[in-house]
Amino acid sequence: MNSLNPTRDEFAALLEQSFEETELQEGSVVTGKVVAIEKDLAVIDVGLKVEGRIQLKEFGIKGRDGDDAGVSVGDTVEVYLERVENALGEAVLSRDKARREESWIRLEAAFEANEKVSGHIFNQVKGGFTVDLDGAVAFLPRSQVDIRPVRDVQPLMHTPQPFQILKMDKRRGNIVVSRRVVLEETRAEQRSELVQSLEEGQVMEGVVKNITDYGAFVDLGGIDGLLHVTDIAWRRINHPSEVLAIGQTVKVQIIRVNQETHRISLGMKQLEADPWDGIEAKYPVDAKFTGRVTNITDYGAFVELEPGIEGLIHVSEMSWTKKNVHPGKIVSTSQEVEVMILEVDPVKRRISLGLKQTLQNPWEAFAEKFPTGTEVEGEVKNKTEFGLFIGLDGDVDGMVHLSDLDWNRPGEQVIEEYKKGDMVRAQVLDVDMDKERISLGIKQLGGDPFDTAAAGELRKGAIVTCEVLEVKDGGLEAKITDSDITTFIRRADLARERSEQRPERFSVGEKFDARITQFDKKTRRVTASIKALEIAEEKEAVAQYGSSDSGASLGDILGAALNKVRDTDTDTDD
């Protein structure tokens, strides 16, 4: 090809190549040469026979060094070619865009390699700060400035420091960076080195950095350890702020170190003598001591016997009589109380205390004051299916069983006559101090009618007068007059003659004579019979007024016997 006289095809190829080169150059970074300095502009030849102008201030690092004129004639610089030619026939160039383009390339490489980049904070915006990454502007969220919230960011402004790129979006021109990630990595390395140098049992000094409900965090010089509230002192501490303050220097002992999680447990009480040593000799069982109530729960109250030594009064050991009452109704926090040592367990570090044991057993006191057989008075506290509960002296209750309400009537019937609040009198039957029970009886106040009856004329074979209480199909319910004893006369015992064995012959309130056929004090059963009385009278009449060979009829004998009885009654009336 003749370079001086190219053919038409060659010329077309050269022209197309020129266009391709021109198209590739636009929107990219190219190398140019400073050919002149005109006031505040630098004239740049980018090799396309077209010159462009760039303000001198673009050659300085804005806001960092204050030197706006960073170039001179003859310098070779990289600029960003926006357009090959504008309306004035000049190339449109930008040094800032070139620098940003170069920075993006470097930042993308660092982002892919997860490497840190250097930059400086130069402005504050909504939600965070802007960071100059050597020409590219990135956003630093406020939460990513430091590990802990920073109140004053001025000391960090305009100071070169490392950042970690969290996100890049070239299309939108967004870069998000973090200073906190870098600090955490550095801190993690320092923590790892420091943790490896720590040993359990080691004593160190630290500074209290934070206080929570469950303990305090202590800075050991680059790493924090947890001082739990239970390890601050041997005595009970409700909140760490009672003995610690932020910024306070404390001496602590390393209790546990977890090399994997870097968690460190600290203790202060371990530097003092253990008050539980020799605890059994100091607090023997059954001995009484005075302590202060430190805490009250649903299941009891804790009492401090000395600093570091606490015992529990279980709710069941607080009162002899108050069984279902919250401990807070019996004792109060900070109250001085006398307690008895019930049990000491040095292994589990537990002391069981009793409050009621320091007071007299009310059942023992009741038994001394009201021995068996004594008559007492009290208020009906409760009615149950098995008896009455009576409130007694000494804040104790006694129970009257259904069987002890009445001698004759069933207890289920008699108990309906009582209601809560009634004042009743009863007799003490028994006091069981181990089971804390007092047995009472109401019927015993009137004496046992069977005892009275047995001491009198009532016995098997005796003739008694009865009064009809109730007429039933099967017989008569009757009461023996001049006594509290009732009896039931069966239909078959109502008469000797079968035709007369009819309950309906009798009416309520009617009196009749009968003979006792059974009197069992043990089973409290009395049986009477009109039939037995008639048979006995017949035998007696036969024995007195006739015999089997006298020829007299039974009617004659009975008639003579009855006449004799009438004559006797008439003489008596006279």
Side-chain angles (χ1 to χ4, degrees):
M1 180 182 65
N2 189 349
S3 60
L4 297 178
N5 298 300
T7 64
R8 177 175 296 185
D9 292 339
E10 291 173 341
F11 182 80
L14 290 173
L15 182 60
E16 183 177 354
Q17 180 181 0
S18 174
F19 287 153
E20 290 177 355
E21 290 177 353
T22 301
E23 185 177 354
L24 289 175
Q25 288 174 344
E26 285 187 349
S28 62
V29 177
V30 298
T31 301
K33 184 176 182 181
V34 180
V35 295
I37 301 294
E38 298 176 355
K39 295 184 180 180
D40 58 348
L41 298 174
V43 181
I44 311 295
D45 181 2
V46 293
L48 293 176
K49 298 181 180 180
V50 178
E51 296 176 346
R53 287 172 170 77
I54 299 177
Q55 291 187 355
L56 291 177
K57 65 180 181 179
E58 289 194 30
F59 291 93
I61 300 177
K62 185 177 181 181
R64 184 167 57 181
D65 52 20
D67 183 9
D68 292 336
V71 294
S72 56
V73 175
D75 288 348
T76 300
V77 294
E78 290 185 340
V79 293
Y80 184 83
L81 177 60
E82 295 188 35
R83 289 198 307 276
V84 175
E85 187 174 331
N86 61 9
L88 300 176
E90 296 181 346
V92 180
L93 307 175
S94 172
R95 174 57 184 164
D96 286 342
K97 290 185 178 181
R99 184 182 293 112
R100 284 197 294 272
E101 191 71 18
E102 293 170 357
S103 297
W104 268 97
I105 295 173
R106 291 194 302 272
L107 294 175
E108 284 178 337
F111 181 60
E112 293 294 333
N114 198 29
E115 296 177 350
K116 299 176 182 61
V117 295
S118 179
H120 65 274
I121 303 171
F122 66 89
N123 193 21
Q124 181 171 341
V125 295
K126 183 179 180 180
F129 306 89
T130 50
V131 179
D132 182 0
L133 301 178
D134 192 21
V137 178
F139 175 66
L140 173 65
R142 187 176 295 276
S143 62
Q144 297 297 320
V145 175
D146 206 324
I147 297 174
R148 292 185 176 84
V150 178
R151 295 182 179 179
D152 185 11
V153 78
Q154 287 301 322
L156 302 177
M157 300 282 283
H158 310 299
T159 303
Q161 50 196 308
F163 295 90
Q164 184 76 41
I165 300 176
L166 301 180
K167 185 171 65 174
M168 291 188 71
D169 188 342
K170 188 173 184 180
R171 184 174 63 85
R172 297 184 177 182
N174 291 340
I175 304 176
V176 180
V177 296
S178 172
R179 179 174 175 268
R180 175 178 177 173
V181 172
V182 177
L183 296 177
E184 287 178 343
E185 290 181 0
T186 304
R187 186 182 182 189
E189 295 174 357
Q190 295 174 347
R191 284 171 59 94
S192 181
E193 294 177 0
L194 184 56
V195 168
Q196 291 177 1
S197 66
L198 297 179
E199 297 180 357
E200 294 184 2
Q202 182 178 351
V203 178
M204 303 180 64
E205 280 194 349
V207 178
V208 178
K209 293 183 64 177
N210 190 26
I211 294 177
T212 67
D213 292 338
Y214 54 85
F217 288 93
V218 180
D219 185 357
L220 302 176
I223 187 171
D224 292 347
L226 174 62
L227 175 60
H228 197 270
V229 64
T230 58
D231 289 312
I232 295 176
W234 292 108
R235 64 183 178 87
R236 175 184 292 272
I237 294 177
N238 295 320
H239 197 276
S241 59
E242 295 177 9
V243 294
L244 297 176
I246 295 178
Q248 178 182 351
T249 300
V250 293
K251 183 177 289 187
V252 294
Q253 185 180 73
I254 308 296
I255 300 176
R256 285 180 300 277
V257 178
N258 190 320
Q259 298 291 346
E260 295 180 359
T261 62
H262 293 176
R263 291 182 178 178
I264 303 171
S265 298
L266 307 175
M268 287 178 61
K269 71 179 185 182
Q270 288 76 6
L271 300 176
E272 302 174 355
D274 188 351
W276 284 86
D277 292 341
I279 194 70
E280 291 176 294
K282 191 183 300 184
Y283 295 100
V285 174
D286 293 336
K288 297 180 181 179
F289 295 89
T290 300
R292 181 177 61 88
V293 178
T294 58
N295 192 29
I296 297 176
T297 67
D298 292 337
Y299 54 85
F302 289 91
V303 176
E304 184 182 59
L305 301 174
E306 66 174 81
I309 300 295
E310 282 188 345
L312 172 65
I313 308 174
H314 192 267
V315 64
S316 62
E317 306 294 346
M318 303 197 78
S319 173
W320 289 108
T321 57
K322 299 176 182 178
K323 301 297 183 182
N324 297 316
V325 178
H326 191 276
K329 297 291 183 66
I330 300 175
V331 296
S332 57
T333 305
S334 301
Q335 179 183 349
E336 295 287 335
V337 294
E338 185 181 26
V339 292
M340 177 180 285
I341 307 297
L342 303 182
E343 183 183 359
V344 178
D345 189 338
V347 177
K348 295 183 179 179
R349 294 175 175 263
R350 293 177 181 173
I351 298 180
S352 297
L353 304 175
L355 181 65
K356 68 182 184 181
Q357 287 78 0
T358 61
L359 307 172
Q360 186 181 14
N361 185 328
W363 283 272
E364 293 180 358
F366 183 88
E368 293 177 2
K369 187 175 181 181
F370 303 99
T372 301
T374 305
E375 184 177 321
V376 294
E377 184 178 16
E379 179 184 345
V380 176
K381 296 290 187 181
N382 195 18
K383 289 172 58 175
T384 68
E385 60 183 8
F386 48 83
L388 296 175
F389 283 92
I390 311 298
L392 301 172
D393 188 64
D395 202 21
V396 295
D397 290 345
M399 190 190 78
V400 182
H401 193 269
L402 290 177
S403 60
D404 291 314
L405 288 173
D406 193 278
W407 288 111
N408 301 311
R409 293 182 297 162
E412 293 81 3
Q413 175 184 340
V414 179
I415 197 172
E416 296 301 323
E417 299 175 2
Y418 296 90
K419 61 181 181 297
K420 289 179 67 174
D422 287 350
M423 295 298 295
V424 297
R425 300 186 68 80
Q427 186 181 99
V428 178
L429 304 181
D430 181 58
V431 179
D432 190 332
M433 285 172 282
D434 293 333
K435 295 182 179 180
E436 299 180 351
R437 293 177 182 173
I438 299 175
S439 298
L440 303 175
I442 292 178
K443 71 181 185 181
Q444 287 78 1
L445 293 175
D448 189 347
F450 270 78
D451 290 340
T452 304
E457 299 294 330
L458 291 183
R459 63 187 178 277
K460 184 177 180 180
I463 299 173
V464 294
T465 300
C466 301
E467 181 180 349
V468 179
L469 297 177
E470 186 178 0
V471 179
K472 299 181 179 180
D473 291 340
L476 299 177
E477 187 75 36
K479 175 179 178 294
I480 298 175
T481 58
D482 300 327
S483 76
D484 293 327
I485 297 176
T486 60
T487 183
F488 184 76
I489 303 175
R490 299 178 302 166
R491 173 188 285 268
D493 290 320
L494 291 178
R496 184 171 180 272
E497 298 295 333
R498 182 179 295 274
S499 61
E500 297 298 318
Q501 295 175 353
R502 294 177 290 107
E504 59 270 18
R505 303 195 293 116
F506 298 86
S507 59
V508 176
E510 182 179 346
K511 295 184 179 180
F512 61 87
D513 290 339
R515 185 173 186 175
I516 296 177
T517 56
Q518 182 183 7
F519 188 91
D520 191 337
K521 183 179 178 182
K522 185 175 182 180
T523 61
R524 307 185 63 77
R525 185 175 182 180
V526 177
T527 304
S529 173
I530 300 175
K531 177 181 178 180
L533 175 60
E534 291 178 348
I535 293 174
E537 288 178 344
E538 178 182 325
K539 289 182 179 180
E540 183 179 354
V542 170
Q544 292 184 13
Y545 301 103
S547 63
S548 59
D549 55 356
S550 64
S553 65
L554 179 61
D556 295 337
I557 295 172
L558 287 175
L562 289 173
N563 289 333
K564 183 178 181 180
V565 171
R566 291 191 186 98
D567 294 341
T568 303
D569 292 340
T570 302
D571 295 341
T572 304
D573 294 338
D574 294 341

